[in-house]
Amino acid sequence: MKNLVLVAILSLFLSCDQSSKEASEETVEVKGDTIVEEASTKSIEEDLKKKGYQTFSYKEGDTTYLMQQYYMVFLKSGPTRGQDSTEAAELQKKHMAHLERLATEGYTSLTGPMGDDGDLRGIVVFNTATQAEADSLANLDPMVKAGRLKVEIHPWWVAKGGKLK
């Protein structure tokens, strides 16, 4: 029963904007930690391509993987880090609100700070159709605008439905 609930929840996330009728006709199979949706992979891929996303699919054994290009943004220490503690705290508050808005609106898939105090301050994975869109959204961050952070962006391929282990 637990696996059935997990499959149902994950199917909702993976089905994108498909109608409920299409979703109910899907063939869903779970193999280990991988979700396989043979009947819907092609329709998901077509929908993503119509929206401008870069995708490809490949088959390995009896599993078909739908790969999508995401954009990994490295937030690095910027050239202007001399703000006083009050200004830095206000910028942090605005930074967090910006990241929350991006997540709520579906522009990001994964966000988090680094665990040390090095030059690399955090990572944001953008789920946007283009690198230009990810760049634009990342540069709207109040910390970036203030020069406290700077961004470095790289395309990154991930299988749809993949998860961290």
Side-chain angles (χ1 to χ4, degrees):
M1 184 64 176
K2 185 178 177 181
N3 285 340
L4 183 58
V5 171
L6 176 63
V7 169
I9 291 170
L10 291 173
S11 293
L12 287 172
F13 286 111
L14 294 174
S15 64
C16 296
D17 295 323
Q18 293 183 3
S19 70
S20 60
K21 181 181 177 189
E22 288 175 327
S24 67
E25 295 174 358
E26 291 178 354
T27 302
V28 177
E29 182 179 350
V30 176
K31 293 185 177 187
D33 290 333
T34 304
I35 295 177
V36 183
E37 296 188 50
E38 293 293 338
S40 67
T41 300
K42 187 173 179 96
S43 63
I44 293 170
E45 184 172 17
E46 288 171 1
D47 184 51
L48 287 168
K49 285 187 177 192
K50 284 179 191 172
K51 293 176 180 176
Y53 289 86
Q54 299 295 312
T55 65
F56 70 90
S57 58
Y58 73 94
K59 193 168 181 99
E60 186 175 301
D62 60 353
T63 303
T64 300
Y65 296 93
L66 174 57
M67 302 295 289
Q68 178 184 330
Q69 189 174 63
Y70 293 80
Y71 299 95
M72 185 171 287
V73 173
F74 295 100
L75 298 172
K76 295 183 164 187
S77 294
T80 311
R81 295 193 60 84
Q83 296 88 354
D84 65 33
S85 61
T86 304
E87 186 178 0
E90 186 60 28
L91 282 171
Q92 179 68 16
K93 184 178 173 182
K94 290 177 180 177
H95 166 70
M96 295 305 293
H98 175 72
L99 293 175
E100 178 63 30
R101 181 183 67 83
L102 291 175
T104 300
E105 293 179 7
Y107 292 111
T108 61
S109 296
L110 189 65
T111 303
M114 302 312 290
D116 58 13
D117 195 28
D119 185 50
L120 183 58
R121 308 303 296 168
I123 295 174
V124 182
V125 177
F126 279 82
N127 181 8
T128 58
T130 66
Q131 186 166 335
E133 185 178 10
D135 182 68
S136 176
L137 292 168
N139 279 291
L140 288 175
D141 188 318
M143 287 276 221
V144 175
K145 286 181 168 184
R148 193 163 174 83
L149 294 175
K150 61 184 178 180
V151 299
E152 178 181 310
I153 301 176
H154 297 274
W156 186 48
W157 289 97
V158 179
K160 292 295 282 181
K163 67 178 187 176
L164 296 172
K165 293 182 182 182

